Structures are given as structure tokens and as C-alpha cells.
Amino acid sequence: MAMYVFKDAAREHKLLARDAQRQDKSIRFYCPNKKCDAHMYVRSLDGVAKAYFGARKSYSHEKGCPYTSRGFQPNLHDENGFKFEDALLSLTRQSKTQSKSEIPREHGTGEVRPKPIHTIRQIYSMCKSHDCSDLYNGKIIGQMLLDERSAYMYPKGVFGWRLIELKYRYYSSDRKEIALVGPSNGKEYTFIVKFGDERLFKEINKIVYENRNHLIIVAGEWKSSGKYNTFCTEFKSKKQLAIEK
């Protein structure tokens, strides 16, 4: 599903889900993915749930499209409880014992109690479902995820907590580093992922290398490396990595 669509096939005129009106209910809109010809329609406009856009089964999404129904579902999560920096900081820590239910229920009621998104894939999916200039709990989407859409927001580099869509470049076993390339607005930014633990480096490097033809999503606190247009982060947990195939 998507939290925005386009009114035209050229993808020039956007419509955000929160701005949709009753008269829009029967109108076919266009998927944000230019390679996808799914017929998008507004959903949940009259209910208490948040409005969103979904595709009809007869004109569904292309395989691999990030705006399918398997993506972000806004009504299953607590937007007001989401704190971006805290969520990314948590990704750098070792996993604790998880409960079997990702979305807990109120004891004895069977009622679903939504909780904030917290995994890298949930956060990435949320960001992709929104327009990069939109907000999620007051935070600009493009200031959470650097991708081709939001590259214009980073004319002077990338600093602070971010998720970044990256492509493989090379690795250094001696330095325990993986170098990747990310989107930029007319510039080439290099992102260095540094490891303090050799075993973790070997494990992640194997995953990244085997998926070098796919998008590699890394969450971290990015800083200047001291080299021009090159930024770095410390990798401490497997939770900081996702592969988008």
C-alpha cells in the first residue's frame, strides 16, 4: 500500500492519502513506482482508520514493487509513539528476547494494541510508502531515509541517524570495512561501514557481497570520514542491515 500516489501517468501531480476527498474514491490513481502500472484507489476514507492507497487485484503491482499490500500498514502501528533516533539507536544494540507476537493484545480482551515500528524493515517500508517530503510523527521522511527521491535534501553530505539505500562497491579485510555508494544530487557519495568485531564483519560482508546486485539498506549514525564526500558509521548489530531484492 502507499500513503501517496500520482494523479497522472507522467507522475507529475501527487496526492497524499490525508488529502484525499470523497470524490476521489472511484478515481484510478498511479503507483509511485514508475515501473509499476498498478491501478491505485483510496481506501478507508470513511472509517476511523487512516486513509491509504491500494491496488485492485485485477490491476495489481509489478513483482518487487515496494508499494504492495505486504508493505507498511499504517493502522497496525502507533505513529505517535515512534521516535526515529531512538529506534535507530536500538538497532545498534544486541537483540533481547522477543515476544512471539509483534503486535501485543490487551490482556483478556483480544484487542490489538498497536506499537511503534521498530525494525529496520518496518522503518524502511514506512518511509518508502510516504512521499519524501511528507511527515511521520512530525519527522520529514527524507530526513529519515536517503534514497533517490530525497537526494536533493543532502547537498552538503549526510550527518546523523539515517537509513540509506546503498549499492556495493568494495570491502577491506585489513580495515574491516565495507564501502558502498549511495544516491546523491549530482555528486557521488561513498559510505564506509566500519566494524569493531571481526566475526560480525565476515558475516555481514558475506551477506552484502552475495547481494551486491541488490539494494543494501544500512541504518546508522553517519559522520564525516575525513575524506571528501565520504561518510562512515559503526556497525554493531545485524539489525542495522536489510537487503531489498
Side-chain angles (χ1 to χ4, degrees):
M1 60 182 61
M3 302 306 291
Y4 76 108
V5 289
F6 286 89
K7 297 180 180 180
D8 58 312
R11 271 74 168 181
E12 294 179 350
H13 304 285
K14 296 175 187 174
L15 176 63
L16 303 183
R18 66 167 180 264
D19 295 330
Q21 304 295 320
R22 289 187 176 220
Q23 59 265 31
D24 297 322
K25 288 186 67 174
S26 61
I27 298 176
R28 178 261 168 115
F29 295 102
Y30 295 82
C31 180
N33 180 5
K34 293 182 179 180
K35 298 179 180 180
C36 180
D37 192 43
H39 290 205
M40 306 290 286
Y41 293 86
V42 64
R43 310 288 194 209
S44 297
L45 193 59
D46 296 324
V48 295
K50 292 182 180 178
Y52 62 92
F53 295 98
R56 285 190 174 171
K57 291 184 179 180
S58 53
Y59 295 95
S60 59
H61 293 277
E62 296 292 329
K63 183 178 180 180
C65 179
Y67 301 98
T68 65
S69 59
R70 295 188 299 275
F72 176 65
Q73 299 184 48
N75 297 304
L76 297 183
H77 299 285
D78 175 19
E79 178 176 346
N80 293 329
F82 176 67
K83 306 297 181 185
F84 178 68
E85 288 80 6
D86 291 347
L88 262 62
L89 177 61
S90 180
L91 294 179
T92 67
R93 296 169 177 162
Q94 294 299 318
S95 299
K96 297 179 180 179
T97 302
Q98 300 289 325
S99 62
K100 293 183 179 181
S101 176
E102 181 175 307
I103 302 175
R105 297 175 182 272
E106 294 288 357
H107 181 69
T109 67
E111 180 182 352
V112 173
R113 178 167 53 85
K115 68 176 184 178
I117 54 176
H118 64 283
T119 69
I120 185 172
R121 192 159 294 281
Q122 287 174 349
I123 299 169
Y124 176 73
S125 180
M126 178 277 291
C127 288
K128 294 300 286 187
S129 73
H130 287 80
D131 179 62
C132 67
S133 62
D134 202 357
L135 300 173
Y136 189 76
N137 196 25
K139 185 82 171 179
I140 298 173
I141 297 299
Q143 294 300 316
M144 292 189 273
L145 172 68
L146 168 56
D147 59 8
E148 290 184 350
R149 305 171 305 163
S150 62
Y152 74 92
M153 297 181 180
Y154 297 86
K156 297 182 179 180
V158 185
F159 304 95
W161 293 101
R162 297 288 189 280
L163 265 66
I164 308 181
E165 276 188 359
L166 297 161
K167 293 184 178 179
Y168 175 81
R169 193 166 189 179
Y170 65 85
Y171 70 90
S172 170
S173 295
D174 293 338
R175 296 191 298 271
K176 295 194 289 293
E177 295 177 355
I178 301 174
L180 306 118
V181 178
S184 59
N185 191 21
K187 303 176 183 178
E188 183 177 89
Y189 287 157
T190 299
F191 297 89
I192 306 296
V193 180
K194 297 176 175 288
F195 295 79
D197 181 271
E198 185 170 1
R199 184 169 59 179
L200 181 61
F201 164 71
K202 290 181 177 179
E203 180 179 3
I204 297 300
N205 187 50
K206 183 176 185 294
I207 294 171
V208 169
Y209 187 78
E210 290 177 348
N211 290 279
R212 60 191 179 276
N213 295 322
H214 300 296
L215 282 176
I216 300 161
I217 317 303
V218 177
E221 185 177 17
W222 300 91
K223 303 175 182 179
S224 172
S225 70
K227 296 181 180 179
Y228 181 68
N229 282 347
T230 302
F231 307 90
C232 62
T233 194
E234 292 185 50
F235 197 99
K236 300 177 180 179
S237 168
K238 291 186 289 185
K239 295 183 292 182
Q240 292 176 245
L241 177 75
I243 305 297
E244 186 67 15
K245 297 183 179 181

